[in-house]
Amino acid sequence: MQLQSSLFEQLPQAISPRSPSERIEELRAVLRRADIAYYTDAMPIMDDREYDHLYDELVQLEAANPHFITPDSPTQRVSGQPMKEFQNIAHDEPMLSLQNTYNREEVQDFDRRVGEGLEQRAREYWCDLKYDGVAMSLRYENGILVRALTRGDGTTGDDITQNVRTIATVPLRVQPVMLNGAPLLDFEVRGEVYMRNDDFLRLNEEREAAGEKLYANPRNLTAGTLKLQDAREVTKRPLQLACYFLRLLRLDSAATTAQQTLLSQADNMRLLKEMGFPMAQHSRLCIDLNDVFAFIDEWETRRETLPFQTDGAVVKVNSIAQQTELGAVGRFPRWAFAYKYEAKKARTRLNAISLQIGRTGVATPVAELAPIALAGSTISRATLHNADFIRDLDVREGDMVIIEKGGDVIPKVSGVVAEERDAASQPYTFPSECGCAFRQPLKRIEGEAAYYCEFAGCPSQIRGRLTHFCSRTVMDIEGLGDKAIDQLAEAGLLTTIADIYRLHEKRAQLLALERWGEKKADNCLAAIEESKKQSFTKVLFGLGVRFVGEETAKILAEHFGTMEKLHEARIEELSSVFGIGERTASAIANWFQSEQNRRLTQELAALGLAMHYEGQALAGIVTPIQGKTFVITGTLPTMKRDEAKELIQRYGGKVAGSVSKKTDFVLAGEEAGSKLDKAQELGVQVISEEDLKAMMAQ
Ligand code: IVH
């Protein structure tokens, strides 16, 4: 799991001698932040153990000081903040969390408490794998999927029905089954949406080729996908569902009879399976605690062979009547718990640190490891990110290192076995040269973690640029994947992007290459020709300018309209465009200043690639709000503040933080406070969101 280290460092680790009430407030604040980071941002700032530890401390402090318990304490409600973009809807039964256990004693304690709750009556347990994904509630009425909600804060979740409908395995209408003589049509199913490891790795590879930020693990990618506003985009990312819970809805529908009752978790899973739901795999009924331990032990090792991420087992009392009898305390049911497996670790020798030069010239240090088997695969390389990462870990060539594979699929170097370090070993110094045959200098730009090779003729960069340009998310040229590009570059057929569009002149040379038959060559040339239809935005994105991903390319295309205008743009103009920071502006200006790059864009234009934005460019148009200063206050009816700000800036206006005589308009929404008073005092014109839209329409 990727932790945001800066926040993590700020967390209080030990109890300082302070009053219980202060410590309680401190713990609540930290837990709330951790909840938001985990549930809303999908960017955890601490691991589960740490969280549980702090949570337990808070529970104990509150138990000892009940007068300090307030309704907003994390112990008094299901935690987290739902995302803002989607409609927020209440769960008609809260989605609870699970208490975590980490060892046999804790499992035995749990079973003991269950025994006490059931007055020592016999009980069976249903054991599942714990899927590491995003929890989901699906509501079916009359056998039809009517709503999908995320867990959110457990009490309310986001309506992401449109996105969930795109998951192929989610039944939109169920195959009817009978329950106590009546068809089962009105119910809620809960399960985990997740992504398979292979799909995750493939999507991340595509993102890497496209120069986009990588997702840390399948769970984050799943959460990010479910948050996409455009359901069509969701279909491009293969999501899966694993169901593990069924609940009846009591609607006034004739079909749901009062006799319908659920008897056991095992029966429920059978019913769901019969109705066509994709079920959690490998679950089974355990007749006693020893059987539960057998399940836990079996999957501790076998989980390595699974095609998806699991971080533990979930154990549930099988009888629904017993579940009801046991009930819940706070946000935890008393009838279920999770058993968490430890992240898989291994020790191996770091033979050397090599450098990998990416398409923009960034030199990424890579750990060359003595091959070691870990959680189902053999690991011989792992990224060391950058010079800062190496320095913070003080990892040195020749060290014995710890490799970890948590919920992230991607193995990482997590530590050094300092005791086994050679006495003569020296801290790693980042090389001053790239290491390829051209021996180019590496430079570190002020304020950045990365070292760069600035040599335009660098073979790794050339290949990286060509691969990026041809990749699926950019120009989408089928037939020119990394292997083909390596082969053509080696044969001298490709050096620059423009060469791609001259390949048809070299058909004979192409055919002379190994594995290139007539059909393959013709298909490839046709795909190249077809790619000329790609938009100006894609072409811009494909050029491989540092920090210019697809989003930035879109902003640039929309603002400047033509390649020519971009060539002419100065840093100041570039950085004044909303969404373009100074670092990006300077990278763009640098790129366009180079004579070689100017030639490249001219060649591409002559070869027939799009050099104009397909819509209406904004630069140069005089709008009614050109140069006017706005202050935004209160809650706007439909737009978020950031959106309003972006809109104003795109149309040439400025947005300030406080009202003064220089303010032209105050854009006010509901509950506008002192800024509105100030505007009235100074006689500044106050407008509504609707007025703003009317101004844009002009
Ligand atoms: S049962 C009241 N079964 O774990 C019981 N949860 O830590 C409800 N999870 O929010 C959950 N696999 O997202 C259950 N087989 C499984 C699960 C599972 C993953 C997640 C779920 C839940 C979280 C609780």
Side-chain angles (χ1 to χ4, degrees):
M1 204 179 294
Q2 174 144 333
L3 302 176
Q4 290 171 300
S5 54
S6 55
L7 275 174
F8 184 62
E9 278 153 21
Q10 294 163 22
L11 297 176
Q13 300 293 318
I15 308 175
S16 40
R18 114 188 34 147
S19 72
S21 75
E22 274 176 53
R23 181 62 183 166
I24 284 175
E25 269 322 305
E26 190 177 34
L27 286 166
R28 285 177 184 167
V30 171
L31 290 169
R32 283 187 195 116
R33 258 171 51 214
D35 281 342
I36 290 173
Y38 186 89
Y39 288 112
T40 310
D41 304 334
M43 268 294 222
I45 54 171
M46 62 177 83
D47 65 26
D48 290 350
R49 264 167 206 264
E50 213 131 13
Y51 183 98
D52 291 346
H53 184 73
L54 296 174
Y55 189 88
D56 287 346
E57 191 191 334
L58 179 58
V59 169
Q60 278 166 26
L61 275 172
E62 287 182 343
N65 304 278
H67 48 290
F68 285 139
I69 298 181
T70 56
D72 64 350
S73 170
T75 60
Q76 301 302 301
R77 66 180 182 105
V78 193
S79 55
Q81 287 290 317
M83 285 137 347
K84 296 258 168 12
E85 293 90 337
F86 297 92
Q87 203 193 341
N88 207 233
I89 293 177
H91 293 292
D92 50 25
E93 184 149 312
M95 286 181 81
L96 301 175
S97 288
L98 293 174
Q99 197 166 352
N100 288 328
T101 59
Y102 297 96
N103 54 47
R104 282 182 188 243
E105 290 71 53
E106 287 173 3
V107 173
Q108 274 157 348
D109 278 352
F110 191 90
D111 176 62
R112 192 180 35 74
R113 288 195 300 274
V114 169
E116 284 164 12
L118 297 177
E119 291 162 348
Q120 306 308 335
R121 289 197 309 280
R123 59 236 171 228
E124 289 178 327
Y125 287 106
W126 176 265
C127 288
D128 279 331
L129 293 174
K130 189 171 192 302
Y131 280 68
D132 198 7
V134 175
M136 194 64 48
S137 149
L138 305 173
R139 186 185 176 94
Y140 287 80
E141 290 178 14
N142 258 323
I144 291 167
L145 172 68
V146 293
R147 184 175 288 164
L149 297 182
T150 61
R151 181 178 178 284
D153 65 3
T155 335
T156 65
D158 285 323
D159 184 344
I160 54 161
T161 315
Q162 284 312 321
N163 289 350
V164 169
R165 284 171 67 93
T166 69
I167 303 175
T169 52
V170 173
L172 299 179
R173 178 194 285 267
V174 299
Q175 303 166 18
V177 294
M178 300 299 275
L179 175 64
N180 295 346
L184 176 54
L185 295 169
D186 301 308
F187 56 89
E188 183 200 347
V189 182
R190 292 182 184 178
E192 203 83 352
V193 177
Y194 67 99
M195 191 176 282
R196 291 168 53 105
N197 296 342
D198 51 355
D199 287 326
F200 164 73
L201 290 170
R202 184 176 52 76
L203 282 175
N204 244 4
E205 268 167 28
E206 283 176 17
R207 288 181 76 85
E208 185 166 32
E212 287 170 276
K213 207 168 157 245
L214 298 188
Y215 283 98
N217 54 48
R219 187 174 58 75
N220 286 5
L221 181 46
T222 303
T225 302
L226 289 171
K227 274 199 277 182
L228 290 174
Q229 303 248 309
D230 184 352
R232 282 166 307 184
E233 287 299 312
V234 182
T235 60
K236 297 183 192 157
R237 306 199 190 160
L239 294 178
Q240 318 290 335
L241 175 69
C243 297
Y244 47 65
F245 179 85
L246 169 66
R247 187 175 73 87
L248 300 185
L249 300 178
R250 295 291 175 202
L251 295 177
D252 278 341
S253 115
T256 311
T257 71
Q259 286 89 44
Q260 282 192 332
T261 35
L262 297 174
L263 296 180
S264 73
Q265 173 72 12
D267 288 344
N268 291 355
M269 298 303 98
R270 232 182 342 261
L271 283 170
L272 285 178
K273 192 166 170 32
E274 256 179 75
M275 280 191 276
F277 286 95
M279 304 306 297
Q281 299 291 298
H282 308 294
S283 307
R284 72 177 173 85
L285 190 60
C286 293
I287 51 163
D288 57 24
L289 205 56
N290 281 334
D291 206 9
V292 169
F293 284 132
F295 179 90
I296 289 174
D297 292 346
E298 177 185 348
W299 286 101
E300 167 112 56
T301 42
R302 276 190 72 193
R303 73 191 172 112
E304 291 164 14
T305 61
L306 294 168
F308 52 85
Q309 292 291 297
T310 158
D311 55 347
V314 178
V315 183
K316 301 164 188 171
V317 169
N318 186 45
S319 150
I320 307 296
Q322 290 183 347
Q323 288 182 5
T324 313
E325 200 176 329
L326 288 162
V329 242
R331 59 192 189 130
F332 299 128
R334 260 192 283 234
W335 49 267
F337 66 93
Y339 182 92
K340 301 280 283 206
Y341 295 128
E342 285 221 40
K344 287 279 163 188
K345 289 183 188 173
R347 285 159 47 130
T348 191
R349 185 74 63 195
L350 171 65
N351 289 332
I353 297 176
S354 66
L355 290 182
Q356 198 173 308
I357 312 284
R359 70 183 166 86
T360 58
V362 175
T364 305
V366 178
E368 303 290 349
L369 304 162
I372 175 102
L374 176 64
S377 57
T378 302
I379 293 148
S380 53
R381 304 183 91 206
T383 178
L384 291 170
H385 305 287
N386 53 46
D388 291 351
F389 182 86
I390 296 177
R391 191 202 52 216
D392 294 348
L393 218 57
D394 185 21
V395 58
R396 307 175 184 189
E397 289 183 315
D399 271 349
M400 200 60 162
V401 292
I402 313 278
I403 310 294
E404 210 170 284
K405 208 166 171 187
D408 295 354
V409 187
I410 303 158
K412 51 185 171 214
V413 177
S414 66
V416 173
V417 188
E419 313 84 67
E420 291 186 26
R421 173 173 283 164
D422 194 297
S425 112
Q426 289 297 315
Y428 179 75
T429 43
F430 214 86
S432 52
E433 283 182 359
C434 72
C436 88
F438 295 95
R439 304 187 56 135
Q440 290 296 308
L442 293 176
K443 289 187 191 146
R444 191 176 198 173
I445 296 178
E446 277 256 335
E448 283 184 29
Y451 281 84
Y452 290 94
C453 154
E454 291 182 331
F455 175 47
C458 161
S460 305
Q461 284 186 53
I462 291 174
R463 278 172 211 190
R465 279 198 294 269
L466 288 165
T467 309
H468 165 65
F469 188 85
C470 299
S471 67
R472 233 197 305 168
T473 41
V474 189
M475 299 298 272
D476 194 16
I477 305 180
E478 216 177 309
L480 286 185
D482 28 349
K483 293 216 178 64
I485 286 173
D486 277 356
Q487 193 188 14
L488 298 191
E490 211 137 294
L493 294 180
L494 292 181
T495 313
T496 74
I497 292 168
D499 292 338
I500 297 169
Y501 296 92
R502 291 190 280 255
L503 260 185
H504 64 276
E505 296 163 12
K506 300 176 185 158
R507 193 166 176 276
Q509 284 148 280
L510 199 57
L511 287 174
L513 295 176
E514 212 175 305
R515 298 187 305 273
W516 282 83
E518 298 257 347
K519 191 161 176 223
K520 181 170 167 178
D522 287 341
N523 285 345
C524 180
L525 292 172
I528 292 172
E529 192 58 30
E530 183 67 21
S531 76
K532 288 184 184 171
K533 294 185 191 148
Q534 294 281 10
S535 67
F536 176 46
T537 304
K538 292 280 186 184
V539 175
L540 256 184
F541 177 30
L543 293 177
V545 183
R546 215 190 288 162
F547 309 127
V548 178
E550 188 158 19
E551 261 320 295
T552 307
K554 207 155 122 196
I555 294 172
L556 292 171
E558 214 171 68
H559 188 93
F560 292 97
T562 69
M563 193 68 89
E564 204 43 50
K565 288 241 161 59
L566 255 172
H567 266 294
E568 289 160 9
R570 313 269 292 270
I571 289 198
E572 301 74 44
E573 188 180 0
L574 285 159
S575 59
S576 72
V577 177
F578 183 76
I580 310 281
E582 270 172 38
R583 191 181 67 154
T584 309
S586 117
I588 298 168
N590 273 343
W591 195 93
F592 280 101
Q593 253 162 34
S594 133
E595 191 40 49
Q596 194 181 359
N597 291 337
R598 177 171 285 270
R599 204 167 337 115
L600 173 66
T601 57
Q602 281 166 351
E603 283 175 16
L604 292 177
L607 288 161
L609 274 76
M611 294 289 139
H612 294 262
Y613 178 53
E614 45 287 7
Q616 168 104 64
L618 295 170
I621 299 175
V622 180
T623 72
I625 67 164
Q626 198 79 43
K628 300 273 192 271
T629 301
F630 288 71
V631 171
I632 310 173
T633 177
T635 311
L636 302 174
T638 72
M639 271 191 264
K640 278 187 268 157
R641 280 209 207 184
D642 276 353
E643 289 166 353
K645 182 173 171 189
E646 181 176 348
L647 194 67
I648 292 167
Q649 289 175 328
R650 276 177 53 193
Y651 280 79
K654 287 181 263 181
V655 177
S658 58
V659 182
S660 72
K661 277 193 219 131
K662 291 194 195 133
T663 311
D664 294 295
F665 300 102
V666 167
L667 172 58
E670 290 265 324
E671 289 172 33
S674 61
K675 289 180 188 166
L676 185 57
D677 300 340
K678 185 86 191 262
Q680 275 150 359
E681 189 186 311
L682 295 174
V684 174
Q685 191 177 344
V686 178
I687 59 165
S688 66
E689 181 187 304
E690 214 174 307
D691 298 331
L692 177 72
K693 285 182 177 159
M695 284 168 148
M696 306 295 175
Q698 283 176 41

